[in-house]
Amino acid sequence: MTSSELWTRATADRYDAEETEMSSAAVLGPTLDFLAELAGDGRALEFAIGTGRVGVPLRERGVPVVGIELSEPMAAVLRNKVDEDTLPVVIGDMATTVVPGGFALVYLVYNTITNLLTQDEQVECFRNAARHLEPGGRFVIELGVPPLRFLPPGQVAVPFDVSEQHLGFDTFDLVEQVLVSHHLTRDGDDGLYRRDNSRHRYAWPAELDLMARIAGLERERRVGDWDGAPFTGDSAKHVSVWRKPA
């Protein structure tokens, strides 16, 4: 069992259309360069592969990719893009599901580790990555830095998007280390908005380093984005790489 919320058919059907920016060449190019370099001639395993936004083009670059995905509707959208022989996907949660063989790279992008709502499950996710890695292999996570500096006393909400078609803000439970992302999305020209929300357990970079140590992994580097910008106190996110000792 997992605490992750299960993405529905309706969410899966509109996911790609709502993530066009994240699927653009400007975003995907550096992401694929980064991951392909780490994979080298080896295989890559994507935790929470979703509709294949990253996994499908990485496979097209010649990297053998296998995916784990909890949501069958999300995996069904991916399957419309590529067949099972080309990119196998196992239905299951990323903290416990095991697939055959070893991998040079395991990766988890776009804040998805926060879908695991307990620290224990996040630790198990690291352990599962280590379980799949060959000696010398890497585990990569892309994750936003919790924007708590934007919270003045008494405020619990931080906006992250205010645009014509979408209003997005996060509310924070500072005791439980859980945030809820709220979305108001305009679907058509009638002025009506669709409301959605999702729960996440946010984690600090240093906390992830400790999880990695528990799993027997060593931090190799941390940068501020896929282009390799330095990670600083003002970085909004990080891309972190941990290595399994040879």
Side-chain angles (χ1 to χ4, degrees):
M1 298 296 292
T2 176
S3 63
S4 297
E5 296 176 349
L6 190 61
W7 291 44
T8 64
R9 169 65 65 183
T11 301
D13 287 345
R14 62 176 180 258
Y15 182 83
D16 286 349
E18 294 183 348
E19 295 294 345
T20 54
E21 180 180 354
M22 293 300 296
S23 300
S24 67
V27 173
L28 276 183
T31 306
L32 299 175
D33 290 343
F34 193 106
L35 296 174
E37 180 181 0
L38 289 180
D41 296 328
R43 297 199 305 161
L45 173 62
E46 181 171 357
F47 286 173
I49 194 170
T51 64
R53 178 183 67 89
V54 174
V56 171
L58 186 61
R59 181 65 185 88
E60 291 171 351
R61 287 203 176 193
V63 178
V65 177
V66 178
I68 293 175
E69 174 55 42
L70 182 63
S71 168
E72 292 190 45
M74 293 287 279
V77 174
L78 179 151
R79 192 52 64 225
N80 290 331
K81 303 173 184 178
V82 62
D83 62 55
E84 175 72 17
D85 289 337
T86 303
L87 202 167
V89 175
V90 177
I91 301 300
D93 74 273
M94 56 188 164
T96 63
T97 301
V98 177
V99 301
F103 295 85
L105 173 68
V106 178
Y107 65 95
L108 183 54
V109 299
Y110 204 15
N111 304 319
T112 312
I113 193 170
T114 66
N115 290 356
L116 298 170
L117 298 178
T118 70
Q119 187 182 69
D120 286 345
E121 285 179 303
Q122 291 179 355
V123 168
E124 288 306 313
C125 181
F126 272 81
R127 284 178 167 153
N128 201 29
R131 182 181 298 123
H132 286 91
L133 285 173
E134 298 169 340
R138 276 88 169 199
F139 182 34
V140 177
I141 285 182
E142 175 192 22
L143 183 59
V145 177
L148 301 190
R149 292 166 62 187
F150 292 101
L151 286 175
Q155 181 175 313
V156 296
V158 173
F160 59 84
D161 184 31
V162 180
S163 60
E164 186 68 22
Q165 295 299 120
H166 178 253
L167 301 174
F169 59 94
D170 292 330
T171 54
F172 292 84
D173 182 332
L174 302 181
V175 174
E176 297 298 329
Q177 207 165 307
V178 169
L179 69 84
V180 180
S181 284
H182 305 264
H183 302 268
L184 294 171
T185 306
R186 179 180 285 177
D187 279 331
D189 298 325
D190 55 9
L192 298 178
Y193 284 80
R194 182 183 74 253
R195 180 173 182 177
D196 302 290
N197 62 72
S198 57
R199 298 175 67 228
H200 306 268
R201 182 188 186 271
Y202 62 87
W204 299 96
E207 185 180 5
L208 298 184
D209 288 340
L210 183 56
M211 294 180 188
R213 288 180 60 189
I214 291 171
L217 304 176
E218 302 170 347
R219 193 178 92 190
E220 186 171 77
R221 61 174 152 151
R222 171 167 293 129
V223 291
D225 58 29
W226 294 107
D227 287 310
F231 178 73
T232 71
D234 294 322
S235 297
K237 75 171 186 179
H238 62 96
V239 177
S240 296
V241 182
W242 298 272
R243 183 175 179 271
K244 184 173 183 176

